[in-house]
Amino acid sequence: MALRTALMIAPLGADETTDDLAATFTTVDPAAPALTVGELSTQRGDGIFESIGVVDGHPQEVEAHLERLAHSAQLCDLPAPNLEQWRGAVLTVAAECGPGESVIKLILSRGVEHGPSPTAWATAASAADFSRVRTDGIRVVTLDRGYSIDAPASAPWLLLGAKTLSYAVNMAALREAHRRGADDAVFTSSDGYVLEAPTATLILRRGDTFVTPAPNGGILHGTTQLSLFEHLADRGFTTVYETIPVADLRTADAAWLVSSVRLAAPITELDGAALTVDAEFTASLNDYLLSPRD
């Protein structure tokens, strides 16, 4: 993905106000160096981020992403983001996106080691072409995440449920999925429950009921899943959150991995076993997800 624009942000306090919000932003050359050697986002992955899908210049589900950014900051003991400022940054970089699909990334780091303040920036880039996986689907394997379903309650310092920059495990899981001949993975708990994908949320269909894992096992609450559940409820379907045993994956009528940029990718195969794909219904989900959503 080629960066179109980059914006460094001088973070305001959560309750700070200014008559000149633009003065807190500095546009930088996305191809030029911008971070110092002591930056903790690169040294330790000590920070948080959000990825916002953009369709024809319209950033999708901005408020949900900002709320999740604030939640991640709280879990990581980072300063609470000034949501007005971050909203302004999103609109500023979205104006550079133009037609087609793009992605905005918001990053809040603890800053330079022993430094006085956090580091923050926003970028916009052209999105990859996911049209094929939205129609042809993806093959998925299950991978043990290595902790039990109750780990977040007993070990909050693991930061489960925060969208941190520490994505080495997520990327390693994707590489392992590729080694096994699959396109993606679904994490499972060590005691046999379904969690989430490395970069997406899982949704299952059982008849006219749509199910996603309850966000109490260290699962990142997906903004796309939340939006789809509202859409499905408006269409008369039932939507529920459950603690899902791994065995239930294989009995679902259909399944998708959903995320802000790839959108809804139907699962065609799980651990080598074929799953049913409803191409027409999947197309209707992606039509909704490609429509302007606030």
Side-chain angles (χ1 to χ4, degrees), residues 33-233:
L35 300 177
T36 66
V37 173
E39 169 62 41
L40 291 175
S41 62
T42 55
Q43 284 195 354
R44 298 177 183 169
D46 193 357
I48 58 176
F49 78 103
E50 283 291 324
S51 296
I52 301 175
V54 184
V55 179
D56 294 331
H58 183 278
Q60 306 280 55
E61 302 290 345
V62 174
E63 295 308 314
H65 282 285
L66 293 181
E67 289 172 8
R68 194 168 66 179
L69 185 78
H71 178 65
S72 294
Q74 181 181 29
L75 291 177
C76 294
D77 295 318
L78 286 163
N82 184 303
L83 297 189
E84 180 185 3
Q85 182 185 33
W86 285 88
R87 191 178 297 111
V90 171
L91 296 178
T92 299
V93 295
E96 303 295 324
C97 287
E101 294 183 52
S102 306
V103 56
I104 291 173
K105 287 198 174 182
L106 307 178
I107 301 98
L108 176 60
S109 154
R110 207 169 300 276
V112 177
E113 190 162 19
H114 308 306
S117 62
T119 305
W121 65 100
T123 64
S126 302
D129 182 3
F130 289 112
S131 55
R132 185 188 62 79
V133 297
R134 292 171 190 166
T135 55
D136 295 350
I138 52 176
R139 296 164 299 171
V140 171
V141 293
T142 54
L143 297 177
D144 189 342
R145 187 65 192 265
Y147 56 74
S148 63
I149 195 74
D150 62 354
S154 59
W157 51 86
L158 294 178
L159 303 180
L160 304 173
K163 195 171 178 69
T164 72
L165 293 171
S166 304
Y167 253 45
V169 169
N170 304 61
M171 297 300 99
L174 288 176
R175 292 193 298 272
E176 178 62 23
H178 296 160
R179 279 191 287 268
R180 298 187 185 194
D183 305 299
D184 212 322
V186 169
F187 285 129
T188 62
S189 68
S190 58
D191 47 352
Y193 295 97
V194 179
L195 298 173
E196 59 190 343
T199 63
T201 307
L202 175 72
I203 295 178
L204 304 178
R205 182 173 188 173
R206 301 174 187 153
D208 287 338
T209 299
F210 291 81
V211 186
T212 197
N216 57 4
I219 293 172
L220 188 71
H221 210 162
T223 56
T224 305
Q225 171 264 312
L226 285 167
S227 184
L228 267 181
F229 266 29
E230 290 181 7
H231 171 67
L232 290 166

